[in-house]
Amino acid sequence: MPTRTAAQRRAEAGAGYDAYLAECPARQLLDRIADKWVSLSINALADGPQRHSDLQRRLASVSQKMLTQTLRNLERDGLVARTVTTSVPARVDYELTELGYSLLPVMRAIKGWAETHMDRVHDARLSYDEVHRAS
């Protein structure tokens, strides 16, 4: 059997992913990136490295615990890098990795779509509620 490179092995493994299957790793990744705090964090980090406190201010209403959990998950998935600078107090910055930047156009598109179409969605919700309230 010929020796395969790591890239070839990854390509072969990736060919077997099917996000419609419950246990598929791609489905688990979709679950992760569909989270609102993930989407907003990635969009916020597009402007460059930021401290936890800066991100928390930017992402109105996110709790410290939720932001920390989100950033850890993104770091684990290779989408965000965490850099600690030794100083008093220590400085911790978060920034998108190359992989994180590759996801950015999708996240920007989703955010933009939501902002552009919110009035229509709001109207649809009102119409739906009106019809179903009468039933």
Side-chain angles (χ1 to χ4, degrees), residues 14-73:
Y17 295 139
D18 183 350
Y20 289 111
L21 301 175
E23 298 304 316
C24 179
R27 183 173 184 163
Q28 294 163 3
L29 182 58
L30 285 172
D31 286 343
R32 167 99 66 229
I33 63 176
D35 178 83
K36 71 178 173 184
W37 297 121
V38 167
S39 174
L40 294 172
S41 295
I42 288 175
N43 277 297
L45 288 169
D47 297 335
Q50 294 185 50
R51 296 176 83 167
H52 190 282
S53 58
D54 297 330
L55 283 168
Q56 192 170 7
R57 271 191 298 279
R58 183 131 186 228
L59 306 178
S61 80
V62 68
S63 69
Q64 182 175 345
K65 179 181 177 183
M66 181 54 69
L67 182 56
T68 298
Q69 181 181 347
T70 299
L71 291 169
R72 281 186 185 150
N73 287 335

Side-chain angles (χ1 to χ4, degrees), residues 67-111:
L67 182 56
T68 298
Q69 181 181 347
T70 299
L71 291 169
R72 281 186 185 150
N73 287 335
L74 290 172
E75 185 180 8
R76 181 173 183 251
D77 289 342
L79 301 171
V80 167
R82 180 179 183 265
T83 305
V84 179
T85 305
T86 53
S87 60
V88 179
R91 179 183 174 103
V92 180
D93 290 294
Y94 297 90
E95 64 183 313
L96 293 176
T97 62
E98 182 181 336
L99 185 60
Y101 273 109
S102 72
L103 181 59
L104 186 57
V106 176
M107 292 301 181
R108 280 183 170 159
I110 291 170
K111 179 180 174 283

